[in-house]
Amino acid sequence: MVENDTLALQTNNVYVHYGSKMAINNVAVDFHKNQVTSLIGPSGCGKSTFLRCLNRMNDVIDICKVQGEFHLNGIDIYGPEIQVENLRKQVGMVFQKPNPFPKTIYENVAYGPKIHGLASTKSELDDIVKDTLNRAGLYTEVKDRLDDIATGLSGGQQQRLCIARAIAIKPEIILMDEPCSALDPIATAVIEELINELKENYTIVIVTHSMQQAARISDKTAYFHLGEMIEFGITSNIFTNPNHEMTEAYISGRIG
Amino acid sequence: MTDLSKRLASEKRFKYFAMFAMCLSLFFVVILMLKIFTTGSGAFIRTTIEASVYFDPSAIEVTNESSVKAINKASYVNLADQIVKDNHPNLSDEKFILVREMYTRKFDFQLRDYIASNPNIIGKTVTMEITASSDLDQIVKGNYPRDVPEAQRKINDYQLSVLDSLDADGKISSTFNLWFFTNGDSRDPETAGILGALMGSFYALLICFSFAFPVGLLASIYLEEFVRPGKLTDFIEVNINNLAAVPSIVYGLLGLGMLIGVFGMPYQVPLVGGLVLGFMTLPTIIIASRASLRGVPPSIREGALAVGATKTQTVFHHVIPLSLPGSLTGTIIGMAQALGETAPLLMVGMVAFVMDIPGGALDPATGLPSQIYLWSESAERGFLEKTSAGIMLLLGFLIIMNTIAVIIRRKLEVKW
Ligand SMILES: Nc1ncnc2c1ncn2[C@@H]1O[C@H](COP(=O)(O)OP(=O)(O)OP(=O)(O)O)[C@@H](O)[C@H]1O
Ligand SMILES: [Mg+2]
């Protein structure tokens, strides 16, 4: 297996502290191109914290200190020459609660391309918006109301709009923090389907509380417990034949 | 059971107390309003005396061919006197003075304006409604009693008899006093208007807004979005809250000492008054803006940051548009407060007698509340009406501004 060629993001020796409280303790996970990696574990184990290190969203939190190695295509993303805005263009993010801007559907998708200068004319921008909404499987539903305020969409539509907003700037990696936890099973199924399709072009890291979801959509799974990564491997192996007894306990519902 | 009935009784008692308190405060408001409206409504009416006016060319310095400028410059005092004499023939000099007092002193200005707006009038005779003097006006309105000894009256027995005969001829009438809305201040109550003060307040509030709103907004954005919370921000926060509670006269002193004393800005102008009102409203605006910035959900900021927006882009593209209604509401409420503030205006001299209507922020002016204050100081009954009418106007503006603030806030609530 020539896995090294397809490595998108490599992390090693990661420690995160909130003030003096340790949230991530010596974690190392490698993310491969065009794969879906799930992060699972009981509440408060540090999944979101770890995920937010990958696009430096933790920079916003004053008391949060991140240490460790993070290499995106071999480049240290915490390096001094890295501009965090450019990093976030390469590593997009979708949040737990759909958070579309209270602007029109069009503007939500167009915002990223606009600030990164991806379109030089209005028609180019129109094309990007249309294409992006198509890839997010939302275009047919909203094509007649692109100028409506996005907060009027259903929860599932809003979340797909947030995915569209993230992929509009053509990132390499998409981070998703429990993207379906606020959605009903049908909307969840639509998003899972979408994730499956997006895998063709993107590397996806997803935090989820649903073991079934992790099993359904991910290629690799990492199990976290109290800030440590207990086990990391091919999803089917983790679910059928975990190496670690804590993993097994969690999967079988005895922890969490 | 008894326990419950006791509780119900005490609940009833409490309800009655609350109702009583509300009725009491309502009662005082109603009394205040009634008082203001009954005294103030007279200001909108003025008494006029019908007279036939012959524009005698020999008594007028200008001709029908004169320019408007020349017409405006010329004096019409003699013409005014002559018209009074024409309408009251065979008066002794002494009686003439008494009769002339019944007409407004500004009769000549009324004639000038008439000539200026009616070309080719010179040499002709028209019937005009001439404004009566304030004292006569008050007698006609019944605000001055007639049945007191002559020495205690401003209108003596002879003038009363003239008035009665004019009235019998149907020459006394009352009209809407447009002058109250179109004139500046005057020594004579019958020609005094509020427009000068209104414009003074308008320019002052304009300056206040253009200074305090951007400064307050930026300060709140800096404190809320850019600076890390810590000892310094706590210190600033405490001070801002303190400043919001500082008596307004202190800001007036600041304006006097700093703007006029140190920077040499002129006395008595809306520019300085507006800046002082701006200092005063700044804390209110900052507090309101910070609250509305805090009300913008963090998820919006994260959404923008996550697509690679810079902090500044996030704030200006997403946060400010959402917080603006709240900031504006705070600003309008602060400005409504500023509009009613007298003390700062007193300190920077916006309380002098100004006849001309200010044409800009650098012209000498009074403000609405200081004009009310000036009129209330005056002993004449005619100004008492104006005082109340001025208060009515001020209250009207306050209601309008606060209503706008409420509407903006409603709009905001619909959004979230
Ligand atoms: N902003 C913060 N300040 C201080 N401590 C924090 C902060 N965010 C998270 N933590 C702490 O870090 C630890 C990990 O939190 P994190 O949100 O990463 O957990 P999680 O695995 O995502 O949990 P969940 O499944 O409930 O979302 C928790 O103990 C939490 O209390
Ligand atoms: Mg989480």
Side-chain angles (χ1 to χ4, degrees):
Chain A
M1 224 163 133
V2 279
E3 277 207 333
N4 259 346
D5 294 342
T6 61
L7 218 50
L9 183 59
Q10 246 179 322
T11 66
N12 207 2
N13 287 326
V14 177
Y15 293 85
V16 182
H17 295 261
Y18 289 108
S20 59
K21 184 176 173 294
M22 181 177 276
I24 293 290
N25 185 8
N26 193 13
V27 167
V29 185
D30 290 346
F31 302 97
H32 291 264
K33 282 200 172 126
N34 303 91
Q35 284 192 353
V36 178
T37 306
S38 299
L39 310 181
I40 60 169
S43 186
C45 67
K47 307 180 295 288
S48 299
T49 302
F50 182 70
L51 191 74
R52 289 163 61 92
C53 292
L54 305 181
N55 68 342
R56 291 181 58 175
M57 277 308 270
N58 282 332
D59 288 16
V60 182
I61 301 169
D62 290 327
I63 56 166
C64 188
K65 292 260 169 327
V66 178
Q67 291 161 302
E69 294 162 32
F70 298 83
H71 289 280
L72 177 64
N73 301 323
I75 297 167
D76 177 11
I77 62 173
Y78 281 83
E81 71 283 1
I82 292 291
Q83 281 176 314
V84 72
E85 288 79 19
N86 282 334
L87 169 70
R88 289 180 191 151
K89 184 185 169 299
Q90 286 171 281
V91 185
M93 190 164 203
V94 176
F95 298 84
Q96 179 169 358
K97 230 180 101 212
N99 62 344
F101 304 131
K103 298 175 184 265
T104 66
I105 294 169
Y106 182 94
E107 283 175 291
N108 263 278
V109 182
Y111 183 67
K114 236 192 252 171
I115 56 172
H116 290 291
L118 299 187
S120 49
T121 63
K122 175 83 172 73
S123 70
E124 256 178 67
L125 194 60
D126 288 348
D127 289 344
I128 291 179
V129 170
K130 188 180 162 184
D131 178 52
T132 306
L133 285 172
N134 250 327
R135 279 188 291 145
L138 200 58
Y139 187 68
T140 45
E141 284 163 73
V142 301
K143 64 172 187 287
D144 299 324
R145 44 177 175 151
L146 289 178
D147 291 328
D148 287 5
I149 298 299
T151 39
L153 295 172
S154 76
Q157 288 173 324
Q158 286 188 21
Q159 195 60 301
R160 276 182 285 150
L161 183 65
C162 291
I163 293 174
R165 182 174 70 189
I167 61 178
I169 47 177
K170 305 204 157 50
E172 292 168 36
I173 301 177
I174 307 171
L175 311 176
M176 299 185 176
D177 194 350
E178 301 183 39
C180 302
S181 66
L183 306 180
D184 63 60
I186 295 173
T188 301
V190 175
I191 301 241
E192 285 181 9
E193 180 66 25
L194 177 61
I195 290 171
N196 238 335
E197 286 165 21
L198 290 175
K199 202 167 98 167
E200 306 262 313
N201 298 306
Y202 305 96
T203 305
I204 295 172
V205 184
I206 181 168
V207 171
T208 176
H209 262 141
S210 153
M211 246 73 68
Q212 294 88 331
Q213 186 171 59
R216 275 195 302 268
I217 60 174
S218 62
D219 303 290
K220 297 257 175 71
T221 297
Y223 173 65
F224 281 66
H225 189 86
L226 289 179
E228 290 179 42
M229 197 195 66
I230 306 296
E231 193 164 347
F232 175 53
I234 312 269
T235 300
S236 51
N237 289 350
I238 297 258
F239 278 91
T240 52
N241 186 19
N243 283 333
H244 206 285
E245 58 195 85
M246 274 211 271
T247 317
E248 204 204 325
Y250 181 70
I251 288 165
S252 56
R254 277 182 280 130
I255 302 183
Chain B
M1 258 334 246
T2 52
D3 198 20
L4 179 63
S5 62
K6 246 188 206 162
R7 267 157 53 204
L8 286 179
S10 97
E11 182 160 326
K12 221 176 216 167
R13 227 177 307 132
F14 176 75
K15 211 169 92 186
Y16 285 132
F17 277 137
M19 223 153 89
F20 174 73
M22 196 201 68
C23 290
L24 195 69
S25 41
L26 218 64
F27 171 76
F28 287 125
V29 171
V30 168
I31 294 283
L32 177 76
M33 287 292 164
L34 269 181
K35 176 88 186 98
I36 290 171
F37 275 77
T38 45
T39 25
S41 55
F44 304 115
I45 306 254
R46 95 181 146 208
T47 303
T48 58
I49 305 168
E50 188 188 304
S52 92
V53 173
Y54 172 48
F55 288 94
D56 184 356
S58 64
I60 305 176
E61 296 164 10
V62 292
T63 65
N64 280 329
E65 274 69 49
S66 297
S67 66
V68 174
K69 205 172 159 199
I71 290 173
N72 280 335
K73 257 174 113 178
S75 162
Y76 303 89
V77 177
N78 291 338
L79 179 66
D81 287 355
Q82 188 176 320
I83 289 165
V84 173
K85 280 177 185 157
D86 288 349
N87 282 278
H88 301 268
N90 308 322
L91 288 178
S92 67
D93 284 355
E94 203 180 313
K95 294 262 167 76
F96 165 72
I97 291 172
L98 290 175
V99 173
R100 178 67 184 85
E101 273 179 4
M102 296 171 67
Y103 295 84
T104 173
R105 280 205 301 155
K106 301 282 165 59
F107 184 15
D108 52 330
F109 290 117
Q110 207 182 344
L111 289 169
R112 179 196 62 193
D113 294 343
Y114 195 85
I115 293 172
S117 53
N118 293 280
N120 298 324
I121 196 72
I122 295 173
K124 289 180 189 149
T125 303
V126 291
T127 303
M128 269 175 83
E129 300 290 337
I130 296 155
T131 301
S133 75
S134 179
D135 290 332
L136 196 79
D137 181 51
Q138 293 301 320
I139 285 271
V140 171
K141 284 174 182 162
N143 292 335
Y144 281 164
R146 299 173 65 131
D147 49 6
V148 293
E150 187 176 17
Q152 293 175 20
R153 267 188 269 126
K154 299 236 175 153
I155 298 278
N156 67 17
D157 288 342
Y158 175 70
Q159 288 169 318
L160 274 184
S161 69
V162 175
L163 169 65
D164 288 339
S165 74
L166 283 170
D167 204 12
D169 294 345
K171 295 198 164 164
I172 302 289
S173 51
S174 300
T175 57
F176 177 65
N177 185 13
L178 191 64
W179 286 354
F180 181 69
F181 298 100
T182 57
N183 281 4
D185 198 9
S186 166
R187 296 273 179 228
D188 304 301
E190 69 271 19
T191 48
I194 197 92
L195 186 63
L198 213 58
M199 292 313 286
S201 273
F202 171 75
Y203 289 124
L205 283 188
L206 204 68
I207 297 286
C208 168
F209 179 82
S210 0
F211 163 70
F213 182 65
V215 173
L217 193 67
L218 287 176
S220 61
I221 289 168
Y222 178 71
L223 287 174
E224 213 45 54
E225 303 287 335
F226 287 98
V227 84
R228 291 184 177 205
K231 286 223 166 61
L232 184 68
T233 48
D234 287 349
F235 178 73
I236 293 174
E237 173 139 21
V238 168
N239 276 288
I240 289 174
N241 290 340
N242 268 343
L243 284 177
V246 164
S248 57
I249 194 157
V250 175
Y251 289 100
L253 285 167
L254 174 74
L256 184 66
M258 192 177 80
L259 298 177
I260 298 175
V262 178
F263 297 133
M265 288 187 176
Y267 204 57
Q268 214 178 322
V269 297
L271 174 67
V272 176
L275 285 175
V276 169
L277 294 179
F279 296 150
M280 207 190 83
T281 29
L282 205 50
T284 315
I285 296 178
I286 293 177
I287 291 169
S289 291
R290 288 186 69 180
S292 68
L293 285 170
R294 246 173 276 156
V296 176
S299 64
I300 298 294
R301 296 179 180 84
E302 290 193 323
L305 291 173
V307 292
T310 62
K311 187 122 199 182
T312 311
Q313 284 173 328
T314 303
V315 169
F316 279 88
H317 296 166
H318 300 284
V319 180
I320 294 181
L322 293 174
S323 73
L324 207 55
S327 308
L328 275 176
T329 310
T331 306
I332 294 171
I333 289 172
M335 282 183 26
Q337 205 180 331
L339 174 65
E341 218 39 88
T342 326
L345 298 185
L346 298 188
M347 297 314 299
V348 300
M350 279 183 74
V351 70
F353 174 74
V354 181
M355 271 179 72
D356 295 324
I357 289 154
L362 282 168
D363 290 347
T366 51
L368 216 44
S370 46
Q371 182 70 72
I372 291 168
Y373 169 73
L374 275 176
W375 282 342
S376 73
E377 291 262 272
S378 173
E380 275 179 84
R381 183 64 173 77
F383 280 124
L384 187 64
E385 285 181 353
K386 311 268 151 163
T387 307
S388 291
I391 293 171
M392 281 161 67
L393 217 62
L394 183 62
L395 287 178
F397 278 109
L398 292 183
I399 289 172
I400 292 173
M401 289 172 80
N402 286 319
T403 310
I404 293 174
V406 169
I407 290 172
I408 293 179
R409 193 183 300 159
R410 283 269 162 79
K411 285 244 162 98
L412 172 98
E413 273 175 359
V414 170
K415 221 165 184 177
W416 289 105

